[in-house]
Amino acid sequence: MSDVPFGFGPPDRDPERRDQPGSGDPFGFGALFGFGGPGGAGGGSPEDLLGKMPLFAELQKLMNWSGGPVNWDLARQGAISSLATGTQPTSEAERGAVAEALRLADLWLDQVTDLPSGADRPLAWSRVEWIEQTLPAWSALIDPLAEKVVAAMTAALPQEAMAMAGPLAGIMGQMGGLMFGAQVGQALGRLAGEVVTGTEVGLPLAPAGSAVLVPQNVASFAEGLDRPADEVRLFLALREAASLRLFAHVPWLRQQLHDAVHAYARGITIDREAIERGLTDAMGSMEGGFDPSNPEAIQELLGSGLLEPEETPEQQMALRRLETLLALVEGWIDAVVAAAAGERLPGHGALAETMRRRRASGGPAEQTFATLVGLQLRPRRLRDAATVWGAMAQRYGTAERDRLWSHPDLLPTSDDLDEPMDFVARQGVDDELRALTAEAEDAGTDTDTTPPDDDSPAR
């Protein structure tokens, strides 16, 4: 999956690929309208151009979407149709096995964390069910980001270019919803073929209280591991149940993650002056100048990289915050699952290593945030976070470890994860200072406040 948000980026540098229809077009306008393809070249009025679109009537239906900056109807259809290996409905036996694994996982977790269970109902979803049931969560996460991108894109495009594009300029905003819908649909289709639980992407996507496993993907995950299927299922159930405990009983956590993504969106800007300079250069490089009635000329401008967003320092800070939060969540899950599995799950070490390699090579969580905000979640951050949680439990106990989730200001920062053991050591010093402060306050309240006798010496 692309590591550039929503496919924004410079034009393709490969001359062979750049010459293909629709290549080098970050918004997909060329591919959708057939610019540069058979029958799409040459001049003609915009009306003639629209007459050459065999799917224009269907496009009009899609463009009537008014539900937000992402066409979620198109996203859903695209996600389901892009399931390359197909989908299988869940069987009664699979639903029973998932329910049993999640029940046992909660029993084991009760012994290693004070956070109570966050799962009210166990669910076994097919890939299509995962797509359909998680769309509301994706909408809440992605819509603000897409809306900001569309606004920045529209505001940055020079009025002269919009005027020259003629009637096509009026539908560019609607095309944004189509393009986002198509891209999100493709991304969700790929994710649906890989995710094994409801929280694997780093956020709870299922309805509140729902613990989810995707049996078809669990079976794919288990292939080649040489471990019993029920052992693999229990390991993944432990991860799902642990994640739900954290999100259910740390009320600010989900919002903090969303805020970090949206803080990135608020900072999206496109350099209008750079666009104007690039537009002038592009027009000057075209033989005979820019012809707004020529669809190939429009495609060349749209695919030139002029609308690539620039990353600001504020956005970099938001990404760093998001990376740290995700690492802390994943690290905590790794630590409590390791404590719960212990000697009960013989293959825990091998399964945990498989999960680490999955993340390092770009698993569903990494793919999701790389696509959304260009975030490359570094495995080193996860290891450092897991070190913090493991050391906190070993030195101070699980209650003190989990107490850090009581307020976001108590959590390790990105700088703290650079030296995780220093952070752990400081917690003991902070505890001593709090104890001394409490003793001083108690002593102050017990001070004798009886006024002195008149004959007593002045103090």
Side-chain angles (χ1 to χ4, degrees), residues 72-436:
W72 288 102
D73 287 344
L74 179 61
R76 175 186 173 278
Q77 296 170 16
I80 294 174
S81 64
S82 68
L83 288 172
T85 56
T87 182
Q88 300 171 1
T90 56
S91 66
E92 187 64 32
E94 288 173 330
R95 289 191 289 271
V98 166
E100 177 60 23
L102 288 166
R103 183 194 66 81
L104 184 56
D106 259 340
L107 289 176
W108 288 7
L109 290 170
D110 284 339
Q111 302 174 37
V112 296
T113 177
D114 292 338
L115 295 181
S117 174
D120 297 331
R121 54 191 176 280
L123 297 172
W125 280 350
S126 68
R127 291 171 174 175
V128 169
E129 287 175 316
W130 183 89
I131 292 171
E132 293 177 333
Q133 296 296 325
T134 62
L135 281 180
W138 288 118
S139 177
L141 182 65
I142 295 175
D143 274 346
L145 184 61
E147 185 174 7
K148 182 62 179 178
V149 171
V150 171
M153 179 180 69
T154 303
L157 194 63
Q159 293 299 317
E160 297 82 359
M162 294 292 288
M164 285 187 294
L168 287 178
I171 63 174
M172 290 183 68
Q174 293 172 299
M175 290 302 301
L178 285 177
M179 292 303 100
F180 289 135
Q183 291 185 1
V184 170
Q186 291 177 356
L188 294 186
R190 284 192 288 267
L191 283 174
E194 297 181 25
V195 290
V196 291
T197 70
T199 60
E200 192 184 359
V201 303
L203 284 167
L205 299 175
S210 300
V212 177
L213 265 63
V214 184
Q216 185 177 357
N217 294 343
V218 171
S220 298
F221 177 85
E223 289 178 358
L225 295 182
D226 196 26
R227 302 305 310 173
D230 57 347
E231 189 175 286
V232 175
R233 187 186 305 111
L234 181 54
F235 169 74
L236 296 175
L238 281 165
R239 294 187 58 83
E240 175 75 346
S243 180
L244 287 180
R245 287 180 182 234
L246 195 59
F247 280 99
H249 301 291
V250 182
W252 49 264
L253 180 57
R254 184 198 301 250
Q255 190 60 48
Q256 288 268 324
L257 287 167
H258 277 234
D259 288 348
V261 174
H262 298 164
Y264 179 92
R266 288 193 298 271
I268 290 176
T269 57
I270 301 177
D271 189 342
R272 182 167 183 164
E273 293 183 358
I275 289 180
E276 292 175 344
R277 291 193 301 271
L279 189 60
T280 300
D281 295 341
M283 289 178 179
S285 66
M286 295 179 186
E287 186 176 352
F290 177 72
D291 179 5
S293 66
N294 184 352
E296 288 187 337
I298 298 175
Q299 180 196 9
E300 183 175 345
L301 286 178
L302 291 173
S304 64
L306 295 178
L307 296 179
E308 179 185 359
E310 294 186 343
E311 190 170 275
T312 64
E314 292 77 14
Q315 287 178 296
Q316 293 172 358
M317 290 178 61
L319 291 181
R320 192 179 187 191
R321 178 179 163 218
L322 177 59
E323 179 186 56
T324 301
L325 271 177
L326 289 170
L328 290 172
V329 169
E330 284 292 303
W332 186 87
I333 293 170
D334 284 353
V336 298
V337 168
E343 298 180 357
R344 296 188 180 105
L345 206 62
H348 170 263
L351 292 169
E353 179 60 27
T354 299
M355 185 60 70
R356 282 192 289 269
R357 291 178 180 176
R358 177 180 172 90
R359 289 192 298 241
S361 62
E366 290 68 37
Q367 292 179 12
T368 299
F369 287 96
T371 300
L372 286 178
V373 292
L375 171 65
Q376 298 294 338
L377 188 61
R378 293 173 292 171
R380 181 177 68 86
R381 297 282 84 177
L382 298 178
R383 288 194 295 269
D384 294 337
T387 297
V388 166
W389 299 123
M392 284 291 299
Q394 184 176 18
R395 185 173 297 189
Y396 307 115
T398 59
E400 280 298 298
R401 175 199 65 197
D402 295 344
R403 182 185 61 83
L404 296 179
W405 288 108
S406 62
H407 194 280
D409 290 346
L410 298 178
L411 290 176
T413 65
S414 179
D415 291 337
D416 290 329
L417 292 185
D418 291 335
E419 299 292 342
M421 296 309 298
D422 287 351
F423 172 83
V424 174
R426 287 200 304 273
Q427 303 312 300
V429 175
D430 292 343
D431 289 342
E432 293 176 3
L433 290 175
R434 282 194 293 269
L436 290 173

